[in-house]
Amino acid sequence: DKQSVKPKTKKKQLEKKLTQLFRERSNIERRWRDVQSSYSSILKAITQNANNVGHFLRRDQILKIRAEYELWCPFCESMAPFSSLSSSGGSPTKQDHNSNHPNQQQNNNRVDMKSLSESTLFAKRKLQFQTLGFLPAILTTSSLLSQSSTKRGHASPQAVLQALSSAMQTVHARELRPMRDFYILRESVRKWVEEIVLTKCIPLKVFPVGTTVEVFGSSANGFGSPNSDLDMCLQLPHVPPNANGSAGISMSKEDGRAAMSRLATELQNAKMANVDTNRLTARIPVIMFNFPLNRANDTDNDEHKPDSDGSSKPNFLQCDISLQNPLAVINTKLLRTYAHLSPKIQVLASIIKKWAKARKINDPSHHTLSSYGYTLMLLHFLLQHKDVILVPNLQYLNPNWKPGMEYQEVATKSGSNGRGGRPQMNMHHPTEPNVITNVYFYYPKDEATMRGLQQMVKSSTTVASTTAAAAGHANNHNNRIHPSSFPTPPAKQIHEESMERSLSVLLASFFRYYAMEFDYKKHVISLHCREGHVEKEQKAELDGWKCGSNQSNQNAPPGLSIEDPFETFYDVAHVIKTNSFHMIRKEFSLAYTKIVHACSPPPSPPNASPAASNSEKSIDEDNPLYYNTAKGVVDGFDLIQLICEPPAAPPVSPLVKRKPRSNSFAVNKDEDQ
């Protein structure tokens, strides 16, 4: 027995040492990435200030520094290894020592620097392919739109993007938008729960008189899908502030948990399935349950039954009900107002959610981002779009604004955090004592005001009638204006519709913005960004967020931080770990690369490198995108399918070709689906 115990003890000791070694290795790799990142920042500063630095450095030294900066890849967070840089540098590799003529030496330097630039580019592309598995496209959307057809028989990028826009509208209308029955069902469930509260709980003084049931979240904010869960909350009657400064709360935490426990019992008595009370001790108590869709006919508890076509269809609607969550209701109204400003916003959000779910980066339980987080990222992108008003910032829109007036925001104080001059509508936080939250946003109180807001951001005829029909069911059910009835917005308020603001270009720009343009180390994704980005250091000072600059801390936050619109101290992306952040950013780059390659197929693979032999194979031949997006000409639906295809397992061979796609972008083919 003693002899058998010793090997087990040694095994545990070895496992402990290995775990410690892996942690140390991870810390060393992270510190090494930080060193390279800091070094690249220095190289970037020198490169961007070449005129001033020219007084201290020679031209060949500046060119060498510029070439060295080209080795930095922000996606890989690493410098590409290139051993010949120091040896070649700004000095010629082949120099005529018998000639001392300065012009000849200058010409030799130019030739060598060109060769050096090509070599560094190859080294960088090799690093990207080995780390990411593809070569990211860096072409801007404006440059893409300015191109013509690059291959014989292939349509122009403009035609590809127009087909993608049409396909996005159709997919949204057919698959992703909630139908009228969606809202009718959820409203009936809300009334049923409210009836239990009124008849079973209030008479026993479990909840105070005046308690109502409100719907919030994806079932009411205009960004839901046909399979969205139903989120409800019990709104208690408002009471004046007490001595502790709390208002709107008419029961203590202990009483609230006891009342929610009694409600759970009533739900069980009403034969609700899977009533879960594990979250009653949370900051906001929550009850989860399944509402049977066919209560009268169901005799078993199977959550899925075969439909008429043989497919499995859920027989339950997943619901949860929380206690006193007024900020969630206000947040839902804000998002719903944004959603109904333009059909484009709903189409973009639905396609982005479809992509995120398919690529498995839409699950907070696995340390990726929630659908709410992606919605905030989309709104931030639309608010930050350059040179054109895509959506008004409702949290800064002048409260005195009326239809027909020019777009006007309340001026913020200079040097403030971007929220200094914002209109005030304060309320006490329901769970945080002594915390006052500004819940102001411009909410249209009648149809005329909503029509005026919709005029401001009205899309022109580029958004086809299918989009208007897609939004029509939900809008009519909620007594909102049908998009097809909106008049054309005045030219002074918003630019006329153009290709730059089509659905496909906005989608591609969204992917590129978060893949290459947004500075995750310095900035926070926020809707309070009309005077520039919200700084992470500012959030650290105001709300105690971890800045992330101190990378020696093993628990340092990832690059992605998202500020909640009202609870500005709350980071929506707090669940994301460093590895998950890199994976999400890689997915942004991959989606954009697929769109670029579909619009402008890459040329045939060049030679491996300037110094490579003719028999040496280029890394471009191993790029899988050359076999699905670039080499196969696709239509808009195939492109959406390609962007949203599930992540594949590591291939056995990188040269395995996929089945070619249909050539629906042929120039002579006119097909309107």
Side-chain angles (χ1 to χ4, degrees):
D1 294 338
K2 293 182 179 180
Q3 292 179 355
S4 61
V5 171
K6 289 182 179 179
K8 292 182 180 180
T9 304
K10 290 183 178 180
K11 183 179 179 181
K12 291 182 179 179
Q13 292 176 351
L14 288 174
E15 290 178 350
K16 186 176 181 180
K17 288 182 179 180
L18 284 175
T19 303
Q20 185 177 359
L21 287 174
F22 280 125
R23 288 179 180 175
E24 292 178 356
R25 177 182 176 181
S26 177
N27 291 335
I28 292 173
E29 290 177 349
R30 184 179 64 249
R31 291 171 185 173
W32 175 235
R33 287 195 302 266
D34 295 338
V35 170
Q36 295 181 87
S37 177
S38 300
Y39 182 59
S40 67
S41 300
I42 297 173
L43 297 178
K44 180 180 179 181
I46 296 176
T47 302
Q48 293 180 344
N49 296 278
N51 294 333
N52 298 328
V53 178
H55 299 290
F56 309 99
L57 299 175
R58 299 192 308 272
R59 181 176 179 273
D60 61 322
Q61 292 176 322
I62 296 177
L63 293 176
K64 174 185 173 182
I65 292 174
R66 182 174 299 171
E68 192 170 2
Y69 175 66
E70 292 298 325
L71 295 174
W72 167 252
C73 176
F75 303 107
C76 307
E77 286 198 332
S78 177
M79 302 282 292
F82 192 67
S83 58
S84 61
L85 184 61
S86 58
S87 60
S88 59
S91 302
T93 56
K94 294 182 180 179
Q95 183 175 355
D96 186 3
H97 296 283
N98 296 327
S99 174
N100 294 324
H101 196 279
N103 292 334
Q104 185 174 357
Q105 292 182 3
Q106 186 176 6
N107 292 334
N108 289 335
N109 278 338
R110 290 178 180 175
V111 173
D112 291 331
M113 291 309 302
K114 180 180 179 181
S115 176
L116 178 63
S117 177
E118 294 176 353
S119 299
T120 54
L121 176 61
F122 175 80
K124 181 178 179 179
R125 289 165 68 88
K126 183 177 181 180
L127 170 69
Q128 291 173 337
F129 180 77
Q130 292 176 345
T131 305
L132 305 176
F134 66 97
L135 303 180
I138 60 175
L139 189 70
T140 62
T141 53
S142 58
S143 300
L144 185 64
L145 289 172
S146 63
Q147 291 184 352
S148 58
S149 180
T150 56
K151 283 193 175 183
R152 185 177 181 181
H154 192 279
S156 64
Q158 293 83 356
V160 176
L161 292 171
Q162 288 177 355
L164 177 58
S165 295
S166 177
M168 290 172 62
Q169 299 171 51
T170 304
V171 170
H172 171 74
R174 293 177 179 176
E175 304 175 11
L176 306 178
R177 68 178 176 90
M179 302 292 289
R180 178 181 176 86
D181 294 341
F182 173 91
Y183 298 98
I184 295 177
L185 172 62
R186 281 150 180 79
E187 176 61 17
S188 63
V189 175
R190 185 201 69 81
K191 289 182 178 179
W192 181 86
V193 174
E194 190 173 61
E195 184 68 18
I196 288 183
V197 173
L198 294 176
T199 59
K200 302 292 184 180
C201 298
I202 291 182
L204 299 177
K205 298 183 179 181
V206 176
F207 297 106
V209 177
T211 301
T212 59
V213 178
E214 300 286 344
V215 177
F216 68 95
S218 57
S219 291
N221 63 16
F223 292 103
S225 64
N227 298 322
S228 295
D229 300 341
L230 177 58
D231 300 316
M232 298 173 286
C233 69
L234 293 169
Q235 292 291 83
L236 304 181
H238 181 83
V239 296
N242 55 27
N244 296 328
S246 299
I249 304 175
S250 54
M251 62 174 58
S252 63
K253 291 183 179 181
E254 293 75 13
D255 292 340
R257 291 167 183 168
M260 292 292 285
S261 179
R262 179 58 184 267
L263 176 60
T265 302
E266 296 296 338
L267 292 174
Q268 289 177 337
N269 294 336
K271 297 183 179 181
M272 294 296 102
N274 301 329
V275 178
D276 187 353
T277 59
N278 291 329
R279 294 174 59 187
L280 287 183
T281 58
R283 182 172 63 100
I284 296 179
V286 179
I287 302 173
M288 295 178 288
F289 64 95
N290 290 339
F291 184 89
L293 300 181
N294 300 313
R295 300 177 59 203
N297 299 327
D298 286 346
T299 58
D300 52 35
N301 292 327
D302 292 338
E303 293 194 8
H304 293 79
K305 288 187 177 181
D307 203 358
S308 58
D309 58 355
S311 61
S312 180
K313 186 176 182 180
N315 289 303
F316 291 92
L317 174 62
Q318 294 182 354
C319 307
D320 63 63
I321 182 167
S322 56
L323 176 64
Q324 192 62 15
N325 199 1
L327 288 177
V329 177
I330 297 174
N331 187 288
T332 297
K333 291 182 179 179
L334 171 67
L335 296 184
R336 184 168 63 240
T337 306
Y338 274 120
H340 290 289
L341 289 179
S342 170
K344 280 186 177 181
I345 302 176
Q346 298 182 40
V347 175
L348 285 169
S350 64
I351 296 297
I352 291 170
K353 289 182 182 180
K354 176 182 176 67
W355 159 79
K357 186 171 296 185
R359 299 300 297 177
K360 300 186 184 304
I361 53 174
N362 185 211
D363 188 358
S365 64
H366 288 80
H367 304 289
T368 54
L369 196 58
S370 64
S371 297
Y372 174 57
Y374 286 108
T375 301
L376 293 180
M377 293 182 76
L378 173 62
L379 294 177
H380 168 85
F381 162 75
L382 296 175
L383 290 172
Q384 285 291 107
H385 200 278
K386 301 176 181 178
D387 303 327
V388 63
I389 298 175
L390 291 181
V391 293
N393 195 321
L394 298 177
Q395 292 181 281
Y396 289 87
L397 183 59
N398 193 323
N400 297 322
W401 182 89
K402 295 180 180 179
M405 298 175 59
E406 292 186 359
Y407 177 72
Q408 182 181 7
E409 294 180 358
V410 176
T412 57
K413 301 176 182 178
S414 76
S416 68
N417 60 2
R419 296 186 281 270
R422 180 181 163 201
Q424 298 293 310
M425 185 180 292
N426 296 329
M427 68 171 288
H428 290 267
H429 197 279
T431 60
E432 300 292 334
N434 302 322
V435 174
I436 296 178
T437 305
N438 184 5
V439 296
Y440 169 80
F441 71 94
Y442 190 92
Y443 183 74
K445 298 181 179 180
D446 50 44
E447 291 186 359
T449 307
M450 174 62 79
R451 186 189 295 269
L453 285 175
Q454 291 166 333
Q455 278 186 256
M456 191 183 302
V457 294
K458 171 68 178 74
S459 301
S460 68
T461 55
T462 301
V463 178
S465 59
T466 55
T467 306
H473 293 279
N475 289 351
N476 291 339
H477 180 68
N478 290 281
N479 297 322
R480 286 184 172 80
I481 308 300
H482 194 283
S484 61
S485 64
F486 302 158
T488 304
K492 291 183 179 180
Q493 291 185 344
I494 188 169
H495 294 262
E496 290 293 330
E497 179 66 30
S498 64
M499 193 64 194
E500 287 78 5
R501 283 165 291 281
S502 64
L503 280 169
S504 56
V505 175
L506 287 176
L507 180 67
S509 301
F510 171 83
F511 288 138
R512 191 182 193 280
Y513 177 75
Y514 288 110
M516 307 177 192
E517 299 175 13
F518 187 80
D519 192 343
Y520 293 94
K521 291 187 177 181
K522 295 182 179 180
H523 300 147
V524 172
I525 296 171
S526 171
L527 304 188
H528 304 280
C529 55
R530 296 307 293 175
E531 288 192 348
H533 291 283
V534 176
E535 301 287 339
K536 277 193 174 182
E537 293 184 356
Q538 198 173 62
K539 293 298 296 179
E541 296 177 0
L542 295 176
D543 299 316
W545 287 20
K546 294 180 180 179
C547 184
S549 59
N550 184 14
Q551 296 294 336
S552 60
N553 181 8
Q554 296 183 7
N555 297 322
L560 182 59
S561 298
I562 304 177
E563 182 186 61
D564 189 84
F566 297 115
E567 295 179 285
T568 55
F569 56 85
Y570 179 71
D571 184 4
V572 178
H574 71 280
V575 299
I576 298 180
K577 293 185 177 181
T578 303
N579 292 338
S580 301
F581 162 68
H582 293 314
M583 179 177 64
I584 292 173
R585 190 177 184 184
K586 170 187 171 182
E587 291 296 338
F588 280 121
S589 177
L590 178 59
Y592 180 70
T593 300
K594 289 179 178 180
I595 296 176
V596 171
H597 284 181
C599 295
S600 179
S604 301
N607 292 331
S609 68
S613 61
N614 295 330
S615 61
E616 192 172 1
K617 181 180 61 176
S618 170
I619 60 170
D620 288 341
E621 294 179 356
D622 290 342
N623 187 354
L625 290 179
Y626 278 91
Y627 297 103
N628 51 35
T629 303
K631 285 191 175 180
V633 183
V634 299
D635 64 8
F637 298 98
D638 288 334
L639 184 51
I640 292 178
Q641 183 179 0
L642 178 64
I643 296 172
C644 300
E645 66 178 353
V652 178
S653 172
L655 293 178
V656 176
K657 297 185 179 181
R658 297 174 180 238
K659 182 179 178 180
R661 298 174 183 266
S662 58
N663 188 356
S664 300
F665 278 150
V667 178
N668 297 327
K669 184 175 181 179
D670 53 347
E671 177 178 337
D672 186 11
Q673 298 186 3

